[in-house]
Structures are given as structure tokens and as C-alpha cells.
Amino acid sequence: MYNKCLEYLLDYRPEKTVSKFGSRMRKLIYPIARLAMPFMLPTKLEIIRSAKMPNRPVIFASTHGFKEDINDAMMIAGRQAYILIGSLTQIFKSVDGYAAWLVGTVLVDRMDKESRVASKEKMIRALELGSSIIIFPEGTWNKSPNQMVSGLFPGIYDIAKATGAVVAPIATHREGKKVYGILEEAFDITAYDRAEGMEILKEKMGTMRWELMEKYSRAKRTEFPYGEEAERYWKKYIDDLMAEVEFYDYDIELHTKYVDKSVTSPKEAFAYMEKLKVKKETAFLFGKNR
């Protein structure tokens, strides 16, 4: 299966992929799609809190961590919105591509700089035509065992600045066969400078996700494994999540995570070990605990 007819979504020109007619039609289609979605998902969504949205286009910024959270974010948003999607294999090699096209999608080739730039212009056009948009600013699934939200790509700030649209944070959390979601009040991210605005958005998203985890995923510390066993447990959990997606692109997802250059990763911090030569003066660095 290959959805060749959807290739036009990769056109760099916004007017070729986001039209006034398409925006209007998708607003009519959305209520029907929203009613049908719960019957097509393996999990049940429970919206814990949903703030009232302004009567204007909104940029919804959602957490990202499991297969159906795109559908969940659409339902939580409560209105038609073009979704920024970067999984080309999912769009072109499955029926999910037609479903995404039907409700409205901005497709981006994350490995193509020109496509990344064009995706911003397409989202700006969608907002100017009166549609809202849904972005997953983490760029890829958050696979961290301890971060509520990983680094956020700042393009969302640029789009808000160009259009005057407000940003509404969404958080989702899956526990068993249930997904819990929160839609927080929209705010003007451009009331702050770029770095501060993105940090505030990250804090809002992380706080909401923590709230959901604290309420619906409680367990005793003794129930958790320790050390290497804990690492194996988490790896299996992530591997099982990725295996749920038929066309998960492991290589692209591995290289499209936002990297904050001001933060040193453990891998970078200990990179010197690879070049270190064993001798009397450096022997202590090669102890069994290091």
C-alpha cells in the first residue's frame, strides 16, 4: 500500500496544501470524526479538565508519548485543527494517512530543512484561514524515565508571533486501557521573550502531566525494580510502546529529538573516557564503579 495521492502534502507552497475550501470542509467534518474516534481507539479517553477556549484560532501544544495521543489531542481540543505530522511512513503506507488528511494535516519531512521551514508557513496559513492547529512541540515521543516533558522546539513561538494566536497546553497520560487528558487555559506566549515563553509552556505541560500521573498512576516504591533491572524494565516498556506502531521509523525518531545546546548530556560529559589512555595517573578513573 502506498498513498501516492497524498504526496501533494509535501509541496513546499502553503497555498497548495492548505486551502480555504479545505479549511471550511474540515470544520464540517470534525464533529462527525470526533464522534467516530472513540470507537476506533483501543483506549478510552477521560477528559479531566477542559478550559474554555477563545472564539479565535488557537495553537494547541500537546505532550507526546504513545500511539493514540494524536487522536486524543484532537478530541481534547474540541474543535477542528490541522495537525503537524512528521511520520511519513505512517501517512503514505497506511490508512491512517487518509484519516489524517480527512481531518486536516500539515505534513513535514523532518529530515528536509526546506520542508521544516515550509511547515511553519503552512500552519500560519491554516490559522489565517480560521482553523486552529495542533503541535507536539517535543518533536518525537518523550522516552525519558524522569522528564515530564522533554525539550520543546521553539517554532510554536514563531507561529504565535506571526499570527497573534494564543497557545493552549494539552497533557495526556495513558494508564492501562484508559487515557486521561487536560486542556489548560490558552495564554499569550508572545507576552514573554522566546526563551521564557517556551520555558513557561514546558512548565505548564509538565505540571499537567505530573498531575495526571500523580492521580492515576500511584504505586508503592517497593513495587519498582532497582538498578540495571529498572533500566531493563524501562527499555522494555518503551520498546513495547514503539512496537504498537506498525510503521514506527526508529532511525528518524532517534535523530529528531530537540537538543538544548546549553545542557550537557551524560554521554557528552563522559565522552573523554573514550580517548583516555590507561596509565598510572588515570587508573583511578577506570574503577569498576565508573
Side-chain angles (χ1 to χ4, degrees):
M1 179 179 187
Y2 181 73
N3 305 325
K4 187 175 178 58
C5 60
L6 298 181
E7 285 183 349
Y8 83 95
L9 292 172
L10 287 174
D11 194 303
Y12 296 144
R13 296 167 291 180
E15 67 276 9
K16 295 295 182 180
T17 59
V18 181
S19 68
K20 189 173 184 179
F21 175 77
S23 177
R24 287 178 175 176
M25 288 303 297
R26 286 176 172 88
K27 286 180 181 177
L28 297 175
I29 291 170
Y30 173 78
I32 301 171
R34 192 179 190 278
L35 287 173
M37 272 184 226
F39 299 100
M40 299 185 291
L41 298 176
T43 53
K44 182 180 179 181
L45 172 66
E46 182 178 341
I47 301 176
I48 305 306
R49 189 168 66 253
S50 181
K52 185 177 180 180
M53 293 293 104
N55 187 26
R56 55 190 280 203
V58 173
I59 302 172
F60 295 96
S62 180
T63 58
H64 202 22
F66 51 93
K67 179 183 178 181
E68 62 271 17
D69 63 4
I70 293 178
N71 304 80
D72 294 323
M74 288 175 57
M75 290 190 284
I76 293 168
R79 62 169 68 176
Q80 185 272 330
Y82 280 81
I83 311 163
L84 179 65
I85 296 179
S87 178
L88 302 188
T89 51
Q90 195 76 6
I91 293 297
F92 290 119
K93 295 185 178 181
S94 76
V95 294
D96 291 345
Y98 291 113
W101 168 82
L102 189 66
V103 296
T105 185
V106 169
L107 190 60
V108 57
D109 182 347
R110 289 173 288 176
M111 306 305 288
D112 180 347
K113 183 178 180 180
E114 195 170 352
S115 180
R116 296 197 301 270
V117 173
S119 68
K120 282 188 183 181
E121 298 302 318
K122 293 174 187 178
M123 287 185 282
I124 289 171
R125 177 172 171 80
L127 289 164
E128 291 176 341
L129 289 174
S131 286
S132 293
I133 60 174
I134 297 175
I135 300 177
F136 299 85
E138 292 170 280
T140 184
W141 285 3
N142 178 9
K143 304 180 184 73
S144 169
N146 52 20
Q147 284 183 307
M148 290 296 101
V149 175
S150 59
L152 305 184
F153 284 94
I156 193 169
Y157 184 94
D158 303 332
I159 295 168
K161 195 171 185 65
T163 61
V166 291
V167 176
I170 291 175
T172 54
H173 173 64
R174 189 171 83 173
E175 182 64 35
K177 291 293 184 180
K178 290 201 70 174
V179 173
Y180 303 93
I182 295 175
L183 171 61
E184 194 57 89
E185 291 183 0
F187 74 107
D188 181 7
I189 196 171
T190 63
Y192 313 91
D193 64 38
R194 199 171 189 241
E196 186 180 9
M198 293 307 299
E199 187 61 30
I200 289 172
L201 174 60
K202 182 179 177 181
E203 286 298 315
K204 285 178 179 289
M205 294 169 66
T207 300
M208 293 157 60
R209 184 163 179 242
W210 173 263
E211 177 184 338
L212 293 173
M213 290 178 65
E214 187 177 40
K215 189 171 182 179
Y216 300 104
S217 297
R218 282 187 171 274
K220 295 179 180 179
R221 185 65 185 87
T222 53
E223 297 176 15
F224 290 93
Y226 287 84
E228 292 183 0
E229 187 181 349
E231 293 179 10
R232 288 193 295 270
Y233 173 87
W234 183 253
K235 184 180 184 304
K236 183 180 184 306
Y237 171 74
I238 294 299
D239 288 346
D240 289 346
L241 277 181
M242 293 188 293
E244 293 177 4
V245 182
E246 185 178 0
F247 296 101
Y248 192 88
D249 197 322
Y250 292 86
D251 186 58
I252 290 180
E253 296 293 339
L254 184 66
H255 294 94
T256 52
K257 183 178 183 292
Y258 177 75
V259 178
D260 186 343
K261 294 180 180 179
S262 66
V263 177
T264 302
S265 69
K267 184 177 180 180
E268 292 171 324
F270 292 100
Y272 73 92
M273 293 289 289
E274 297 176 5
K275 301 178 181 179
L276 203 61
K277 294 182 179 179
V278 181
K279 52 185 179 179
K280 185 178 179 180
E281 292 80 10
T282 61
F284 74 97
L285 292 170
F286 294 87
K288 63 180 180 179
N289 293 328
R290 295 178 174 82

